[in-house]
Every structure is written in C-alpha cells, then in structure tokens.
C-alpha cells in the first residue's frame, strides 16, 4: 500500500500527502503522518485504510471534519491506537504456553521447553511480554553464545543470574552453548511467541526467522557405526552373552541394528507386538498398550524381523519370557521404559572407547546409511524408520508398501560376521 512505510524499529507508519487546497482542513499540514504502533503488516494495512477513508471523507465533506473547538488539537479521527492487547507478564504467558504444549508433547519435552524459555526470558529481563522486541531477540541470541553449558552442575554458578553466570564464565572459561544449542533455544522462543501472537497476547514474534550459520551437515550430528566399530560392539556382546545381568544387554543393540528402531520403541515392546503376517515375523511398533508412546504419527509401523535375528533365536526368547512385556526388567519412568537401558548402553560404549557423537541412536543412523548405500528407495527406508515422506502424494494418498518389499530391504542390512547360530 502506497501510504505505508516501515521505520527502523520495524513499526509501520502512515503518510498521506495533502494538496495545497486541502491543507486548511487539516490545520495547515502538508501531510498526515502517524505511527500505527504495530509491526503486523496486515493489521497496519487495515488501520491505514480506515484512516484514509476518514481523510477522504473530510476532504469531500469539510463541514463535519474539524469542529471549531478542536482546531488547536489533533482531530480524533487521526488518533490511531495500537491494537488492544491484554497486558500479560512474560512468565504468565509462558505458564499458559507450557500448559497448552503439555497436552501435545511428552512431559520431558515440556519440561525442557519451559526451562529453555525461562533462561531466555531471564536474559531478556523484560517482565511484560509486549515490551520484548526484535532488538531484544537479536541481543539475547548473542548472549546465549556465551552462556555456560550444564550451568546447574557447576557449584560456581549457584545463586547467580544468567547475566552474572556469563560474566563469571569469562574468567572460568567453561564450555558454552554450541551454535546448534543457541538455535534450539531461539526456535523454542519463536514457537512460544508465535503461540502468544496467535492468542493475541502480543503483536509480534521477535524471534521469528533469526538466521544461524550452519556449522555441520545434518547427517553429521550423530555418527553411524562403521563395520569395524560394529564388530567391536557385537563381538563383545556375543562373547559375554551368558554373563549379562539382563537379556536386554544382548537383544537391544541387535534389535536396534537390524530394525533401526528408537530405543524407547524397543524397550516398550509387548510380546503380542511380535507376530507373523503371511509367514513373515514382524515387530509392531505402536502405542496400543499401557505405557507405550510414539514420537509422532508416522512412528506407528510394522517392521519385518531380519533373518539373522531369527537365526539368533529372538522368537524363542520372546516366547520364553514369563511376562506380557518383552523386557519386564525395564521399568516405566517419566520418559518411558528406556531410561535404564540408555544409561547401561552409555557405560558400555564408553568402556569400548566410543566418545561423543556415538550413542544408541547411532544404530538408527547406521541402518539409514546402509540402506542408502544399497540404493534402497527413501520411500521404503521411511517405512522402516517411521519417517514422513514430506510428499503429499505419498503421505496423504499413498498406501502402505507390501510387507515382502520391506522384508527384502531389511535383509539388505549386513549380517554380523561370525555370529554363531541359535546362541
């Protein structure tokens, strides 16, 4: 719209040039110039149209435009107020947002979301939500790059504010948030403000579209295991099988490698999730039973069991378990059934010499890497790993693949060398 312009603060301005013969109707002004007090272009456009209509009405019907007693002041029709927004504190808005999110995400994710947003809001230091602007978001992004990691684990920072902790760490030189972590904090804040904007608690999302320099490729975030590393892992597991305290020490790494499933998806399996379809043994990953959870809708899937898992006796093991769950020794916690298994594998892989970047999730990356190298279609890989295809044709209208197709792809995962049969 030709009457709108954006100032340096990101606020829309209205300007209407007046002809010489019109100026006496507007106290001799050459133009009508007003701040619309919003950074929302749609809202600004509507306000500008309303003002333009009033100006043109004044020009066409000057008798009612400016009453004599208001000649020395700005006429009411030119006084534009910002959109009415209920005053609310940043902390109250965050409580509402987290309460809403808790209905859609896991308790762990909700707790982490709230904690990260609280850190950012404390660094911003403005109690009122509407007072937080783009300049604040840009500034706090810079501050987060100097924010110490694992703050609560260091006694030196006990009782200090975020700003005080940043200042102290200039001397201590402890590790600070990575660029990926800073991006995560800002994305969570953007989600928070987007929700606040939609619910008319504020007029802008100051964290929207903050740009970050990519420091690594997505596939480098977690490392896949090489054939040599897989041999190190499984030779140890197979050799010490009869010394294992729990069966999951043996079966979980094997299941992860031969299915690409997530840790909690495997830990929460029930015996009835293991069955045959057209003579093909499968694992049904779902949330049908008590305590089971899925990361998202596309996580629900059926994965054929690799031939080597069958030869190693997985079906016999499942049928021998005297419980409805496959791994009853794993107890449910806030984050599902995988907590104890995750801690065990962390200790196990560290003893084998694996450092940062290698964990249980690396098996999932290993499967994806192997299938890619075998030139397996991303459609089939998505069915195995439970990934959305990001394609409306496949996601909305496409039907599931034939189980035999998925079984053939699963069996392309390289078997473990020299693994004995029926251990």
């Amino acid at each position: 719209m030709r009457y709108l312009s954006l100032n340096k603060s990101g606020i829309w301005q209205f300007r209407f040039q007046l002809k010489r013969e019109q100026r006496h109707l507007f106290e001799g002004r050459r133009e009508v110039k007003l701040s619309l007090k919003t950074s929302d272009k749609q809202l600004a456009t509507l306000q500008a149209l309303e003002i333009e209509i009033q100006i043109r009405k004044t020009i066409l019907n000057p008798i009612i435009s400016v009453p004599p007693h208001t000649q020395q002041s700005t006429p009411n029709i030119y006084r534009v107020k910002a959109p009415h927004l209920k005053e609310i504190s940043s902390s109250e808005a965050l409580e509402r947002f987290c309460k809403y999110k808790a209905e859609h995400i896991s308790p762990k994710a909700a707790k982490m979301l709230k904690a990260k947003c609280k850190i950012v809001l404390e660094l911003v230091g403005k109690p009122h939500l509407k007072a937080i602007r783009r300049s604040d978001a840009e500034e706090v992004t810079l501050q987060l790059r100097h924010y110490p990691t694992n703050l609560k684990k260091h006694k030196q920072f006990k009782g200090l504010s975020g700003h005080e902790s940043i200042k102290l760490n200039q001397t201590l030189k402890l590790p600070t948030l990575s660029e990926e972590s800073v991006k995560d904090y800002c994305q969570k804040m953007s989600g928070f403000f987007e929700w606040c904007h939609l619910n008319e608690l504020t007029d802008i999302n100051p964290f929207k579209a903050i740009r970050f320099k990519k420091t690594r490729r997505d596939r480098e975030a977690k490392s896949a295991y090489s054939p040599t590393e897989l041999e190190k892992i499984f030779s140890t597991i197979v050799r010490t099988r009869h010394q294992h305290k729990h069966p999951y020490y043996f079966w979980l790494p094997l299941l992860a490698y031969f299915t690409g499933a997530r840790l909690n998806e495997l830990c929460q399996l029930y015996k009835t999730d293991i069955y045959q379809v057209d003579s093909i043994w499968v694992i049904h990953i779902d949330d049908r039973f008590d305590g089971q959870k899925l990361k998202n809708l596309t996580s629900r899937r059926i994965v054929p069991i690799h031939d080597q898992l069958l030869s190693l006796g997985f079906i016999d093991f499942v049928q021998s378990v005297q419980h409805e769950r496959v791994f009853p020794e794993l107890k449910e916690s806030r984050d599902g059934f995988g907590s104890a298994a995750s801690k065990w594998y962390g200790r196990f892989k560290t003893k084998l010499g694996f450092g940062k970047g290698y964990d249980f999730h690396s098996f999932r990356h290993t499967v994806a890497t192997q299938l890619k190298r075998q030139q397996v279609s991303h459609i089939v890989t998505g069915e195995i790993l439970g990934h959305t295809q990001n394609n409306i044709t496949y996601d909305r209208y496409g039907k599931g693949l034939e189980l035999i197709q998925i079984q053939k792809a699963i069996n392309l995962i390289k078997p473990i060398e020299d693994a004995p049969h029926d251990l």
Side-chain angles (χ1 to χ4, degrees):
M1 185 175 179
R2 65 183 184 279
Y3 303 122
L4 285 175
S5 62
L6 199 63
N7 69 14
K8 293 180 180 179
S9 301
I11 303 300
W12 288 101
Q13 307 286 315
F14 174 86
R15 295 183 68 175
F16 188 100
Q17 298 290 331
L18 296 168
K19 296 179 181 178
R20 186 184 298 273
E21 62 270 21
Q22 298 167 345
R23 294 173 188 170
H24 70 283
L25 300 172
F26 301 89
E27 302 175 2
R29 297 180 184 180
R30 293 176 178 269
E31 66 177 6
V32 175
K33 183 178 180 181
L34 296 165
S35 170
L36 300 180
K37 299 182 180 179
T38 181
S39 59
D40 186 319
K41 187 174 182 180
Q42 288 185 326
L43 185 58
T45 301
L46 289 173
Q47 291 186 6
L49 286 170
E50 291 175 358
I51 298 169
E52 182 189 358
I53 289 169
Q54 292 185 64
I55 291 173
R56 294 195 180 281
K57 282 183 178 179
T58 300
I59 294 170
L60 292 173
N61 192 4
I63 297 175
I64 63 170
S65 61
V66 186
H69 64 278
T70 62
Q71 287 289 330
Q72 302 304 314
S73 62
T74 304
N76 289 334
I77 61 170
Y78 312 131
R79 294 178 182 170
V80 181
K81 295 182 179 180
H84 176 70
L85 296 170
K86 183 181 177 182
E87 285 290 344
I88 185 171
S89 68
S90 304
S91 57
E92 183 184 349
L94 181 59
E95 288 293 334
R96 292 191 197 179
F97 172 63
C98 291
K99 185 177 180 180
Y100 162 77
K101 291 294 288 184
E103 298 175 2
H104 305 279
I105 59 178
S106 69
K108 179 182 178 181
K111 184 178 180 180
M112 189 177 298
L113 172 66
K114 185 176 182 180
K116 290 186 176 183
C117 287
K118 283 183 73 173
I119 287 171
V120 178
L121 288 174
E122 187 209 349
L123 289 173
V124 171
K126 291 185 175 181
H128 296 294
L129 193 69
K130 290 191 292 182
I132 301 174
R133 315 309 289 177
R134 181 67 174 196
S135 58
D136 299 307
E138 297 283 2
E139 175 61 28
V140 82
T141 302
L142 297 175
Q143 293 173 0
L144 285 169
R145 293 189 173 102
H146 302 285
Y147 194 84
T149 58
N150 301 316
L151 195 76
K152 292 183 179 180
K153 293 184 179 180
H154 300 286
K155 295 180 180 179
Q156 303 97 313
F157 301 114
K158 188 175 181 180
L160 298 182
S161 68
H163 288 290
E164 291 169 339
S165 298
I166 290 172
K167 186 174 181 180
L168 175 60
N169 201 45
Q170 291 175 354
T171 303
L172 298 177
K173 306 293 184 184
L174 293 174
T176 56
L177 295 178
S178 66
E179 190 71 2
E180 291 292 323
S181 294
V182 174
K183 182 179 180 180
D184 182 53
Y185 275 72
C186 290
Q187 286 177 338
K188 284 179 167 55
M189 285 299 293
S190 181
F192 165 53
F193 270 96
E194 196 65 29
W195 180 86
C196 291
H197 191 199
L198 289 171
N199 286 273
E200 301 178 353
L201 301 178
T202 188
D203 60 332
I204 64 166
N205 176 359
F207 285 86
K208 187 173 184 177
I210 290 181
R211 298 184 68 83
F212 293 88
K213 187 176 181 180
K214 202 160 189 177
T215 56
R216 63 186 178 191
R217 294 181 180 181
D218 292 337
R219 63 174 177 266
E220 293 171 350
K222 293 284 185 183
S223 299
Y225 292 118
S226 68
T228 303
E229 290 164 340
L230 288 170
E231 183 181 357
K232 179 190 290 189
I233 292 168
F234 290 119
S235 64
T236 304
I237 287 174
V238 169
R239 188 177 65 251
T240 60
R241 179 183 186 185
H242 298 293
Q243 303 169 27
H244 293 164
K245 183 178 178 181
H246 298 295
Y248 71 79
Y249 288 12
F250 179 80
W251 287 113
L252 282 180
L254 288 166
L255 285 167
Y257 174 64
F258 285 119
T259 67
R262 301 176 179 91
L263 177 61
N264 201 60
E265 292 174 341
L266 297 171
C267 293
Q268 68 185 10
L269 287 174
Y270 279 67
K271 288 177 67 176
T272 49
D273 290 325
I274 316 298
Y275 56 88
Q276 279 185 304
V277 178
D278 298 331
S279 300
I280 298 174
W281 282 101
V282 300
I283 296 175
H284 190 169
I285 296 173
D286 208 335
D287 57 357
R288 300 177 296 165
F289 303 121
D290 186 40
Q292 290 185 324
K293 300 173 184 176
L294 293 176
K295 183 176 181 181
N296 48 52
L297 291 176
T298 56
S299 298
R300 184 176 288 109
R301 62 199 187 277
I302 293 175
V303 183
I305 298 176
H306 193 284
D307 285 347
Q308 192 168 32
L309 274 176
L310 297 176
S311 67
L312 289 172
F314 178 62
I315 303 303
D316 290 338
F317 161 71
V318 171
Q319 293 174 346
S320 71
V321 176
Q322 300 300 306
H323 195 276
E324 60 182 353
R325 285 183 44 238
V326 176
F327 303 111
E329 60 273 26
L330 295 173
K331 306 303 179 184
E332 186 178 12
S333 65
R334 181 195 65 182
D335 303 325
F337 290 97
S339 182
S342 177
K343 291 176 182 177
W344 162 75
Y345 188 79
R347 296 190 298 269
F348 173 76
K349 64 100 176 177
T350 300
K351 286 180 182 178
L352 291 181
F354 291 98
K356 189 176 181 180
Y358 289 92
D359 56 19
F360 196 90
H361 205 72
S362 296
F363 287 116
R364 190 167 166 84
H365 288 272
T366 304
V367 172
T369 300
Q370 286 204 22
L371 295 177
K372 184 176 182 179
R373 288 175 179 171
Q374 294 278 3
Q375 298 183 341
V376 174
S377 160
H378 71 279
I379 306 299
V380 177
T381 301
E383 289 284 328
I384 294 170
L385 298 177
H387 284 162
T388 180
Q389 306 298 339
N390 293 319
N391 183 309
I392 191 169
T393 303
Y394 288 109
D395 291 336
R396 181 173 295 180
Y397 303 111
K399 303 302 180 184
L401 297 171
E402 293 291 335
L403 202 57
I404 190 69
Q405 292 178 268
I406 305 175
Q407 184 191 40
K408 288 179 180 178
I410 279 285
N411 282 324
L412 289 175
I413 298 172
K414 294 179 181 178
I416 299 167
E417 296 292 332
D418 302 323
H421 291 269
D422 198 21
L423 290 171

